[in-house]
Amino acid sequence: MQDVSVVDEFVRVSSRLTGFDPGELQATGMAEGYHDLVVAEVAERRYRRLVVTVLEADGDPPAVDDPHLLDLARAVTHLWYVGVWPGLPQSAEAYVASPRSYAQGLVWKTFHGAPPGTVAPGFGSWARPPRRAMPT
Amino acid sequence: MKGPQRYDVVVVGAGFAGSLVAKALGERGWRVLVLEAGAGTRDAWQDHQDAVRAFHTAVVKTPTAPYRTTAAAPSPDVLDLTGGRDGFQAHGYLLQRGALPYASPYLRVNGGSGNAWTGLALRMHPEDFRAGEFGHGRNWPIGYADLEPYYRLAEGEIGVAADVEEQRRAVGLPFPEDYVFPMHGLPRSYLDAVLAEAVDGNHARDPYQGQPTELSVVGTPQARNGPPNPAYDHGRGYRPDGHRCAGYASCVPICPEQAKYTPMKTQARWPATVTLRTRAVVNRLRATSTGRISEICYQLYRDDTGGEHTSHTVEADMVVLAAHAIENAKLLLVSGLATRSDQVGRNLMDHPALLTWGLTREPIGPYRGPGSTSGIEGFRFGPARRRRAPFRVEIGNWGWNWALGPPDRDVADLLRQNVFGKRLRQVLADRIGRRFMLQFEIEQEADPANRVTLAPDHRDRLGNPRPALHYRLSDHVKRGMVAAKQVSDQLFALLDAEDHTEYRPVASMPGYLEFEGQSFCYWGAGHGGGTHIMGGSPHDSVVNQWQQCWDHPNLYAVGCGSMPSLGTSNPSLTMAALALRSAEHLDRELLATRTCVTVAKEALR
């Protein structure tokens, strides 16, 4: 059984990076899977350094200056936003984490959209005005 | 000794045209064998589920991404082409030898490109059949009136949703007085409504037109399910095949709920007289000295990645090539057939699509519903087509997807600029939520220099020569681009939209070109045609009005390859109408041969 606190910590880091609340991230159902993917893809020390840096940093977005950590921060954010783990190092091949990760990509949620081919909003739904984007 | 198998009809290719011809002839009792080069089974549901999953998990979601392609029957892909300062480069199955790239993919898989098509089912305009009269391209040997009954047949077979009154009034199409489409027109998108509000009743000028054109946003006929019209078929109504369109917004490349017509629907209705053999690449036809096709040679393979195969032959009274315009031409060339007119492979056409993209003032909700639900029709016809190619304006509901790809790219760009957190979320919301695109599909006229030839030095995994393409765009087409861009500018101004269109010689724009000091880029619409052109004489055309080869009475080449002009409408409905018309002719010819045989046997008694 997965240690819940480890996933929670990953979600808090991800929330700072993505601009989505921990609750919104949990609601995607992807948190545990993404946590496991990230710890499998990168060295433990590097991941711990990202966690500490992001959680200790003030402001939005959190300041991440180390280029090595910045690459990891980008990769984690990219994973949440489009469901794709980018090549890390950049020579490695990018891949879609799972069919669900594509369906839960945050980029679509920014404008209350859905990724093509994943949601059936109903006949004629496209005629309605869109829901307003997130309040600023 | 057992001789080769014999069928009444062999159809080469189980795509849009081939599936329709096979059904029509199978229903008339003829024994039909369909040979499909690509993979796929009759277990359509399992194949479909696999395809949806492949689409969801593809990093780059190209039109071919969902489908199981094989090394033995390679398909061209949009990723095969890259642009750059020194011109374009081609890497894939098609060898490109022209000044410009032929930029459209097609699919060699059961169901063909009809799996991934957009589902827009427009008729050609009556004027489009007489393109040659305007000084560019060729006339058809038949007119709109000859094809009209078959348009109706095709609309019933594939299930078209449209408003007949609107098509009469806004496009000028003649219909029989009591005709209605099988299904009511689909609701237009919110973007269509916003655009209509801004442009309807206004006018746009194009430098080649004497009079400005009145603008009107018009619903597009769709081969996807909507509410059936009870008045259809003289009040007998229509029963849609499958669910109503629920707005998955992925018609290209795949509709998860199968609300869009694909040839798989026609295959599901095939009678038992039709046999499908997939992974069967026809590589040669043999003819007797009188020109009759006596033998169809094909290669069967099993492995998706290798070229190992066995060779087979089959015989048939009638042979129908329905393997895509480029593959049909390839097969005729390899077999040395239909050579009299020297037109096989020539007149290769596509719709070069000029795309323009921008941001509306307020969010419009992109990526919802079918790819396009409306268009602006006024630039498709009229005397201006003497001076520049005509075009159709398609309103694009899916953001900037076609030109620049999905929003993945925006995410990567912003992250590279170290944009994270709430700002990342806000910037994306604002950028993507207001995106729209206009797609100008420009007619390309038949030009004998645009052609498919064979590349004997470049063979595929089965040892068959690959197609080499020689492609260019005429100044007439480029003037169409100039006019389209000017119309686009006026539409953007009326809409008070921010124009973000930029054509550059970069990798993602292999169709970049310059004309009269202006930059343009075209995208391939996937509408390849012209390669076995139809005409009134065996001296300047490959097939007659029935898509029957002049030189080979039992050989038909069907599909967009027969079309002497493409007009400005997406050609699939016209291809379907032509296929159904040819099927009737094939049936008559088959009956005639049988009657002769019977009479001869009687005489011998």
Side-chain angles (χ1 to χ4, degrees):
Chain A
M1 174 101 188
Q2 180 76 248
D3 180 352
V4 177
S5 65
V6 174
V7 177
D8 281 350
E9 182 186 64
F10 173 72
V11 167
R12 278 186 287 132
V13 171
S14 298
S15 173
R16 299 289 310 276
L17 292 173
T18 60
F20 279 73
D21 297 342
E24 291 175 304
L25 296 183
Q26 292 283 11
T28 63
M30 303 310 296
E32 186 172 334
Y34 284 172
H35 167 265
D36 294 353
L37 185 154
V38 171
V39 297
E41 285 283 351
V42 301
E44 161 105 37
R45 258 188 70 215
R46 190 174 173 197
Y47 174 64
R48 291 303 326 158
R49 277 178 55 219
L50 180 72
V51 170
V52 172
T53 307
V54 169
L55 293 182
E56 285 182 355
D58 293 328
D60 175 72
V64 180
D65 300 325
D66 176 349
H68 200 52
L69 280 192
L70 203 50
D71 276 346
L72 177 55
R74 288 191 187 110
V76 171
T77 313
H78 195 264
L79 176 63
W80 277 105
Y81 264 87
V82 302
V84 172
W85 179 253
L88 196 69
Q90 270 158 12
S91 56
E93 198 141 325
Y95 63 91
V96 177
S98 73
R100 269 179 58 218
S101 71
Y102 166 65
Q104 292 298 332
L106 298 180
V107 64
W108 307 95
K109 299 182 200 292
T110 64
F111 64 100
H112 297 297
T118 62
V119 170
F123 183 75
S125 53
W126 53 88
R128 293 195 288 265
R131 278 176 65 196
R132 298 293 306 186
M134 65 177 280
T136 51
Chain B
M1 200 178 108
K2 197 175 158 221
Q5 281 186 300
R6 188 166 181 86
Y7 286 83
D8 296 323
V9 185
V10 163
V11 176
V12 181
F16 218 111
S19 298
L20 289 168
V21 169
K23 173 173 176 273
L25 293 175
E27 281 172 345
R28 288 167 169 89
W30 302 110
R31 287 179 65 245
V32 182
L33 173 67
V34 183
L35 297 172
E36 165 54 48
T41 61
R42 287 299 290 278
D43 184 2
W45 181 243
Q46 187 54 49
D47 283 358
H48 179 68
Q49 294 307 309
D50 292 347
V52 171
R53 190 185 161 84
F55 170 63
H56 286 173
T57 53
V59 174
V60 186
K61 293 180 166 44
T62 63
T64 51
Y67 303 101
R68 182 175 178 173
T69 50
T70 62
S75 300
D77 190 33
V78 284
L79 301 177
D80 294 344
L81 295 171
T82 51
R85 294 226 160 264
D86 304 322
F88 75 93
Q89 288 196 318
H91 318 277
Y93 166 61
L94 298 177
L95 298 156
Q96 304 260 2
R97 304 260 167 87
L100 289 169
Y102 174 83
S104 284
Y106 56 91
L107 257 170
R108 295 171 80 195
V109 69
N110 188 28
S113 311
N115 288 297
W117 78 307
T118 182
L120 304 187
L122 298 105
R123 294 183 177 200
M124 281 174 58
H125 192 270
E127 204 182 87
D128 294 334
F129 295 85
R130 299 180 275 111
E133 284 176 21
F134 294 85
H136 303 273
R138 292 226 209 178
N139 287 345
W140 289 52
I142 56 173
Y144 178 89
D146 298 300
L147 206 53
E148 203 285 329
Y150 300 94
Y151 270 136
R152 276 181 278 143
L153 260 186
E155 284 156 356
E157 176 63 36
I158 75 177
V160 175
D163 178 346
V164 72
E165 272 316 307
E166 190 180 34
Q167 291 295 304
R168 250 192 210 113
R169 177 177 43 79
V171 190
L173 294 179
F175 296 91
E177 204 176 317
D178 60 347
Y179 183 66
V180 296
F181 283 91
M183 294 171 282
H184 292 290
L186 259 57
R188 62 185 184 177
S189 69
Y190 180 70
L191 168 64
D192 295 339
V194 168
L195 200 65
E197 174 77 25
V199 311
D200 274 5
N202 282 298
H203 291 76
R205 280 180 187 284
D206 117 33
Y208 306 100
Q209 266 179 325
Q211 297 291 321
T213 298
E214 184 172 339
L215 300 171
S216 167
V217 172
V218 179
T220 306
Q222 310 265 339
R224 48 178 54 79
N225 295 333
N229 190 338
Y232 179 69
D233 196 14
H234 310 285
R236 281 185 279 272
Y238 181 80
R239 189 170 169 186
D241 183 351
H243 301 156
R244 249 176 229 190
C245 172
Y248 268 102
S250 65
C251 333
V252 179
I254 189 164
C255 173
E257 63 174 350
Q258 301 180 307
K260 175 188 78 175
Y261 171 81
T262 73
M264 306 312 289
K265 294 196 182 197
T266 293
Q267 291 189 16
R269 295 174 219 141
W270 277 349
T273 42
V274 179
T275 305
L276 173 69
R277 202 164 292 162
T278 57
R279 298 167 176 271
V281 178
V282 174
N283 62 332
R284 183 173 289 272
L285 306 175
R286 291 189 201 283
T288 65
S289 56
T290 61
R292 288 194 72 81
I293 305 304
S294 54
E295 216 172 47
I296 302 107
C297 308
Y298 66 97
Q299 301 159 303
L300 274 180
Y301 63 94
R302 284 202 176 169
D303 181 8
D304 279 8
T305 54
E308 203 180 319
H309 65 275
T310 51
S311 296
H312 306 263
T313 58
V314 60
E315 295 177 354
D317 289 350
M318 294 287 169
V319 181
V320 180
L321 301 184
H324 183 271
I326 290 172
E327 295 297 319
N328 276 0
K330 188 181 94 177
L331 203 41
L332 290 172
L333 290 168
V334 166
S335 307
L337 298 176
T339 52
R340 185 163 18 157
S341 65
D342 185 34
Q343 293 299 304
V344 173
R346 294 188 182 274
N347 307 301
L348 174 66
M349 297 175 267
D350 192 8
H351 282 131
L354 187 84
L355 311 180
T356 63
W357 53 94
L359 299 175
T360 49
R361 286 277 144 200
E362 299 293 327
I364 40 86
Y367 293 99
R368 294 190 299 160
S372 176
T373 33
S374 298
I376 297 173
E377 313 289 337
F379 304 92
R380 291 175 63 187
F381 28 78
R385 72 195 291 172
R386 287 184 188 284
R387 302 180 61 200
R388 54 100 176 114
F391 53 89
R392 178 171 181 273
V393 189
E394 187 177 292
I395 301 166
N397 290 332
W398 295 345
W400 298 353
N401 209 61
W402 190 1
L404 302 181
D408 302 31
R409 199 179 142 129
D410 300 273
V411 174
D413 286 350
L414 288 165
L415 289 175
R416 252 195 307 277
Q417 297 160 38
N418 297 335
V419 180
F420 285 97
K422 294 232 174 331
R423 195 168 130 66
L424 175 65
R425 184 176 180 173
Q426 278 160 4
V427 172
L428 287 167
D430 179 57
R431 272 194 195 175
I432 305 167
R434 296 188 291 132
R435 280 184 182 171
F436 76 104
M437 179 170 273
L438 299 177
Q439 301 154 182
F440 298 80
E441 307 217 352
I442 300 170
E443 183 181 46
Q444 176 176 28
E445 76 278 16
D447 170 359
N450 279 342
R451 66 187 296 202
V452 182
T453 60
L454 298 176
D457 300 338
H458 295 82
R459 292 183 180 263
D460 66 21
R461 295 295 283 274
L462 297 184
N464 300 316
R466 286 161 52 192
L469 305 187
H470 311 254
Y471 190 76
R472 65 184 184 187
L473 299 179
S474 67
D475 285 357
H476 188 62
V477 171
K478 292 174 187 171
R479 284 192 292 273
M481 289 184 178
V482 171
K485 184 65 174 64
Q486 291 200 12
V487 169
S488 176
D489 292 347
Q490 294 164 75
L491 293 171
F492 274 69
L494 286 167
L495 191 58
D496 195 20
E498 232 176 82
D499 197 344
H500 285 250
T501 309
E502 195 183 5
Y503 307 123
R504 291 184 300 145
V506 293
S508 59
M509 295 190 183
Y512 176 85
L513 61 92
E514 290 169 14
F515 180 63
E516 293 180 346
Q518 257 185 288
S519 294
F520 294 99
C521 182
Y522 66 94
W523 281 260
H527 299 168
T531 53
H532 40 85
I533 204 156
M534 175 193 291
S537 156
H539 301 291
D540 63 7
S541 61
V542 179
V543 299
N544 64 17
Q545 60 161 304
W546 308 107
Q547 305 189 83
Q548 180 182 30
C549 290
W550 288 112
D551 300 351
H552 310 282
N554 69 333
L555 178 63
Y556 290 66
V558 303
C560 296
S562 298
M563 293 169 65
S565 69
L566 292 184
T568 51
S569 48
N570 307 46
S572 296
L573 182 76
T574 302
M575 166 167 62
L578 282 172
L580 295 174
R581 186 171 183 268
S582 290
E584 283 186 5
H585 190 259
L586 274 153
D587 179 53
R588 286 196 294 274
E589 296 278 293
L590 281 160
L591 282 171
T593 57
R594 290 312 143 92
T595 312
C596 291
V597 171
T598 316
V599 170
K601 277 183 183 162
E602 292 290 323
L604 286 172
R605 262 183 203 170

